[in-house]
Amino acid sequence: MLQIIGAGFGRTGTMSLRAALQRLGFTPCYHFTELLTHPEHLPHWISAAGGTPGAWRAPLEGYAATTDWPCVAFWRELFEANPQAKVILTSRDADTWYESMATTIFRVIAEGVPEPPERFRSLPDGERLAEFARAIVAGRSFGGDIADREHVMACFERHNAEVRQVVPRERLLDYQVSRGWKPLCDFLGVPVPAESFPRLNDRAAFPPDLPAR
């Protein structure tokens, strides 16, 4: 059973949150980068996007937490299936979020998966990965339209508002990773680590490094 559901869209600090949660003991945490080492999960997620009930269950078996896509596209299903789980909504200014999306994830969807650098030789089949991105990121989260800036930003704001409305206040942390450890640790009831909060996966480092387990 999941303990934590990350309900924030990608490019809102989801990889930094993943690293923080794993440092706090909520491990493993499912982030998009899991697909780079578990390409066998792709068919399950594509089936889930196609409407197969519960197809997301198999990839998440044994995970304690989630952040980022693909899980955020199914946050309601995860929330209903894990009534004890806490929800963390990572967010940021919509304009800067869109610019980050446009130069990273949307660019990959529009232009395809580039020839990977050496550290990404284990990437799954590029076309299957592109199918995943079109079905789950573009399709499920943005209604298939990622070209219209105003539409995309409206989807972002609507998603955040829906999470805030649906999740009971005691189970929700509305969070920006720039706030660091304290609000996160207070929400989860764990001590604040001595080290700095992780800052990972800025635009210059996209695509991200393979996940540490």
Side-chain angles (χ1 to χ4, degrees):
M1 298 287 282
L2 291 173
Q3 297 173 264
I4 298 168
I5 298 166
F9 278 174
R11 312 310 299 171
T12 60
T14 55
M15 196 166 187
S16 295
L17 177 61
R18 174 188 177 275
L21 291 174
Q22 296 202 141
R23 168 61 183 83
L24 296 174
F26 299 94
T27 185
C29 178
Y30 204 106
H31 177 275
F32 165 77
T33 49
E34 291 294 298
L35 295 173
L36 305 183
T37 50
H38 293 287
E40 71 276 10
H41 291 180
L42 279 168
H44 296 283
W45 290 113
I46 292 170
S47 293
T52 302
W56 46 265
R57 292 183 184 274
L60 291 179
E61 186 173 350
Y63 284 84
T66 71
T67 69
D68 204 81
W69 285 293
C71 299
V72 69
F74 302 91
W75 77 270
R76 269 187 175 270
E77 290 93 328
L78 300 184
F79 176 69
E80 291 169 2
N82 297 273
Q84 82 299 332
K86 294 186 175 183
V87 178
I88 301 174
L89 176 64
T90 47
S91 63
R92 62 188 290 191
D93 172 77
D95 285 302
T96 57
W97 168 82
Y98 176 83
E99 293 302 326
S100 182
M101 287 289 293
T103 57
T104 55
I105 296 171
F106 289 167
R107 185 175 179 181
V108 168
I109 293 173
E111 300 178 6
V113 179
E115 178 66 21
E118 186 61 36
R119 73 182 187 276
F120 292 118
R121 294 304 180 195
S122 63
L123 272 170
D125 175 76
E127 182 50 42
R128 181 62 67 85
L129 198 61
E131 181 185 359
F132 159 86
R134 288 191 297 267
I136 292 181
V137 181
R140 193 170 173 94
S141 295
F142 302 106
D145 182 4
I146 59 172
D148 184 330
R149 177 191 179 105
E150 295 307 314
H151 166 76
V152 168
M153 291 173 61
C155 290
F156 174 71
E157 299 283 20
R158 185 165 56 248
H159 168 83
N160 291 346
E162 183 180 341
V163 173
R164 292 171 180 135
Q165 180 179 14
V166 169
V167 181
R169 183 170 299 181
E170 66 274 12
R171 289 178 60 189
L172 176 66
L173 176 64
D174 200 339
Y175 181 62
Q176 295 182 351
V177 294
S178 60
R179 296 168 63 196
W181 286 117
K182 191 175 188 313
L184 179 63
C185 293
D186 287 350
F187 177 66
L188 298 176
V190 296
V192 175
E195 68 262 31
S196 298
F197 190 87
R199 307 290 182 188
L200 302 174
N201 196 16
D202 62 14
R203 274 186 263 180
F206 189 87
D209 286 324
L210 295 175
R213 297 300 295 271

